[in-house]
Short mmCIF file of all heavy atoms in Angstrom, two decimals:
data_model
loop_
_atom_site.label_atom_id
_atom_site.label_comp_id
_atom_site.label_asym_id
_atom_site.label_seq_id
_atom_site.Cartn_x
_atom_site.Cartn_y
_atom_site.Cartn_z
N ILE B 29 -17.22 17.39 8.95
CA ILE B 29 -16.74 18.22 7.98
C ILE B 29 -16.85 17.38 6.55
O ILE B 29 -16.33 16.27 6.49
CB ILE B 29 -15.37 18.61 8.09
CG1 ILE B 29 -15.22 19.51 9.35
CG2 ILE B 29 -14.81 19.31 6.92
CD1 ILE B 29 -13.82 19.66 9.81
N ARG B 40 -4.27 6.03 2.83
CA ARG B 40 -3.36 5.46 3.63
C ARG B 40 -1.99 5.32 2.90
O ARG B 40 -1.89 5.35 1.68
CB ARG B 40 -3.83 4.10 4.14
CG ARG B 40 -5.01 4.08 5.00
CD ARG B 40 -5.65 2.75 5.15
NE ARG B 40 -4.84 1.95 6.05
CZ ARG B 40 -4.66 0.59 5.93
NH1 ARG B 40 -5.25 -0.09 4.93
NH2 ARG B 40 -3.91 -0.09 6.83
N LEU B 69 -8.69 1.83 23.43
CA LEU B 69 -9.35 1.31 22.27
C LEU B 69 -8.34 1.76 21.06
O LEU B 69 -8.16 2.76 20.71
CB LEU B 69 -10.55 2.01 22.02
CG LEU B 69 -11.55 1.42 20.77
CD1 LEU B 69 -12.12 0.21 21.30
CD2 LEU B 69 -12.55 2.50 20.43
N TYR B 77 -15.03 -0.16 13.09
CA TYR B 77 -16.40 0.16 13.32
C TYR B 77 -17.07 0.99 12.17
O TYR B 77 -18.08 0.69 11.77
CB TYR B 77 -16.45 0.95 14.64
CG TYR B 77 -17.76 1.66 14.91
CD1 TYR B 77 -18.87 0.82 15.42
CD2 TYR B 77 -17.97 3.02 14.83
CE1 TYR B 77 -20.08 1.44 15.61
CE2 TYR B 77 -19.17 3.70 15.04
CZ TYR B 77 -20.14 2.77 15.39
OH TYR B 77 -21.44 3.27 15.58
N ILE B 86 -24.18 1.06 2.56
CA ILE B 86 -24.08 0.58 1.17
C ILE B 86 -25.08 -0.41 0.81
O ILE B 86 -25.67 -0.54 -0.25
CB ILE B 86 -22.56 0.21 0.80
CG1 ILE B 86 -21.65 1.53 0.88
CG2 ILE B 86 -22.47 -0.31 -0.58
CD1 ILE B 86 -20.19 1.14 0.85
N GLU B 87 -25.25 -1.35 1.81
CA GLU B 87 -26.21 -2.49 1.58
C GLU B 87 -27.70 -1.97 1.45
O GLU B 87 -28.45 -2.75 0.92
CB GLU B 87 -26.03 -3.57 2.56
CG GLU B 87 -24.83 -4.38 2.37
CD GLU B 87 -24.41 -5.25 3.52
OE1 GLU B 87 -25.21 -5.24 4.54
OE2 GLU B 87 -23.22 -5.68 3.44
N PHE B 122 -3.54 15.06 24.22
CA PHE B 122 -4.31 14.62 23.09
C PHE B 122 -5.31 15.45 22.75
O PHE B 122 -6.28 16.00 23.68
CB PHE B 122 -5.08 13.13 23.70
CG PHE B 122 -6.04 12.62 22.82
CD1 PHE B 122 -5.80 11.91 21.60
CD2 PHE B 122 -7.37 12.65 23.20
CE1 PHE B 122 -6.74 11.50 20.68
CE2 PHE B 122 -8.38 12.13 22.43
CZ PHE B 122 -8.13 11.62 21.11
N GLU B 136 -17.30 7.46 -13.13
CA GLU B 136 -17.27 6.73 -14.29
C GLU B 136 -16.21 5.69 -14.32
O GLU B 136 -15.20 5.94 -13.75
CB GLU B 136 -17.25 7.52 -15.62
CG GLU B 136 -18.30 8.69 -15.67
CD GLU B 136 -19.68 8.17 -15.75
OE1 GLU B 136 -19.89 7.04 -16.31
OE2 GLU B 136 -20.57 8.96 -15.25
N ILE B 143 -5.90 4.01 -11.44
CA ILE B 143 -5.92 3.65 -10.00
C ILE B 143 -5.36 2.27 -9.98
O ILE B 143 -5.68 1.33 -10.70
CB ILE B 143 -7.33 3.63 -9.34
CG1 ILE B 143 -7.97 4.99 -9.63
CG2 ILE B 143 -7.32 3.30 -8.05
CD1 ILE B 143 -7.67 6.10 -8.65
N GLU B 144 -4.33 2.05 -9.09
CA GLU B 144 -3.59 0.81 -8.87
C GLU B 144 -4.59 -0.34 -8.44
O GLU B 144 -4.58 -1.37 -9.12
CB GLU B 144 -2.53 0.99 -7.80
CG GLU B 144 -1.25 0.45 -8.01
CD GLU B 144 -0.32 0.74 -6.98
OE1 GLU B 144 -0.17 -0.10 -5.99
OE2 GLU B 144 0.33 1.72 -6.92
N THR B 148 -14.46 0.48 -7.68
CA THR B 148 -15.77 0.64 -8.24
C THR B 148 -16.51 1.76 -7.49
O THR B 148 -16.02 2.52 -6.63
CB THR B 148 -16.60 -0.66 -8.01
OG1 THR B 148 -17.80 -0.52 -8.86
CG2 THR B 148 -17.03 -0.93 -6.60
N SER B 149 -17.75 2.15 -8.04
CA SER B 149 -18.53 3.17 -7.53
C SER B 149 -19.87 2.70 -7.42
O SER B 149 -20.36 1.96 -8.29
CB SER B 149 -18.32 4.34 -8.50
OG SER B 149 -19.17 5.38 -8.14
N GLU B 162 -28.23 12.14 0.66
CA GLU B 162 -29.13 11.18 1.25
C GLU B 162 -28.10 10.17 1.91
O GLU B 162 -28.28 9.68 3.06
CB GLU B 162 -29.94 10.54 0.23
CG GLU B 162 -31.32 9.98 0.68
CD GLU B 162 -32.18 9.68 -0.59
OE1 GLU B 162 -32.81 10.52 -1.15
OE2 GLU B 162 -32.02 8.43 -0.91
N PHE B 194 -16.23 -10.66 6.07
CA PHE B 194 -14.86 -10.53 5.97
C PHE B 194 -14.22 -11.53 4.91
O PHE B 194 -14.63 -12.74 4.76
CB PHE B 194 -14.35 -11.20 7.40
CG PHE B 194 -12.89 -11.29 7.62
CD1 PHE B 194 -12.06 -10.12 7.57
CD2 PHE B 194 -12.31 -12.51 7.85
CE1 PHE B 194 -10.73 -10.25 7.71
CE2 PHE B 194 -10.96 -12.75 8.14
CZ PHE B 194 -10.24 -11.52 8.00
N LEU B 197 -10.56 -15.40 4.61
CA LEU B 197 -10.31 -16.34 5.72
C LEU B 197 -9.72 -17.53 5.12
O LEU B 197 -10.26 -18.14 4.21
CB LEU B 197 -11.58 -16.68 6.59
CG LEU B 197 -11.34 -17.28 7.92
CD1 LEU B 197 -10.62 -16.40 8.82
CD2 LEU B 197 -12.78 -17.66 8.45
N ILE B 201 -2.44 -14.77 1.69
CA ILE B 201 -2.34 -13.34 1.54
C ILE B 201 -0.97 -12.88 1.85
O ILE B 201 -0.14 -13.70 2.27
CB ILE B 201 -3.37 -12.63 2.53
CG1 ILE B 201 -3.21 -13.18 3.94
CG2 ILE B 201 -4.83 -12.85 2.03
CD1 ILE B 201 -2.31 -12.42 4.77
N ILE B 205 3.76 -4.67 6.30
CA ILE B 205 3.89 -3.81 7.61
C ILE B 205 5.18 -2.96 7.62
O ILE B 205 6.23 -3.56 7.59
CB ILE B 205 3.92 -4.70 8.87
CG1 ILE B 205 2.77 -5.80 8.74
CG2 ILE B 205 3.83 -3.92 10.11
CD1 ILE B 205 2.96 -6.94 9.77
N GLY B 212 1.29 -15.62 4.14
CA GLY B 212 0.75 -16.71 4.88
C GLY B 212 -0.73 -16.83 4.73
O GLY B 212 -1.32 -16.16 3.81
N ILE B 225 -2.11 -14.88 11.57
CA ILE B 225 -1.61 -15.33 10.31
C ILE B 225 -0.66 -16.53 10.40
O ILE B 225 0.42 -16.31 11.24
CB ILE B 225 -0.99 -14.28 9.40
CG1 ILE B 225 -2.12 -13.24 9.14
CG2 ILE B 225 -0.45 -14.68 8.11
CD1 ILE B 225 -1.62 -11.95 8.47
N GLU B 227 2.33 -18.01 9.13
CA GLU B 227 3.39 -17.78 8.13
C GLU B 227 3.66 -19.02 7.23
O GLU B 227 3.84 -20.16 7.83
CB GLU B 227 4.60 -17.24 8.91
CG GLU B 227 5.47 -16.32 8.02
CD GLU B 227 6.39 -15.65 8.91
OE1 GLU B 227 6.59 -15.92 10.00
OE2 GLU B 227 7.16 -14.67 8.27
N ARG B 234 1.53 -15.52 13.46
CA ARG B 234 1.92 -14.23 13.72
C ARG B 234 0.68 -13.32 13.98
O ARG B 234 -0.40 -13.47 13.13
CB ARG B 234 2.69 -13.59 12.48
CG ARG B 234 3.93 -14.31 12.23
CD ARG B 234 5.13 -13.86 13.01
NE ARG B 234 5.45 -12.43 12.72
CZ ARG B 234 6.17 -12.04 11.87
NH1 ARG B 234 6.96 -12.83 11.18
NH2 ARG B 234 6.50 -10.66 11.78
N THR B 242 -2.57 -7.73 0.77
CA THR B 242 -2.73 -8.04 -0.69
C THR B 242 -2.87 -9.48 -0.82
O THR B 242 -2.53 -10.31 0.02
CB THR B 242 -1.70 -7.45 -1.47
OG1 THR B 242 -0.41 -7.84 -1.02
CG2 THR B 242 -1.75 -5.88 -1.61
#
Side-chain angles (χ1 to χ4, degrees):
I29 293 169
R40 295 169 74 215
L69 191 76
Y77 170 74
I86 291 168
E87 284 166 12
F122 171 71
E136 300 302 326
I143 307 278
E144 223 177 90
T148 190
S149 176
E162 214 170 271
F194 180 60
L197 192 64
I201 48 91
I205 308 166
I225 296 174
E227 205 170 4
R234 301 274 299 267
T242 50

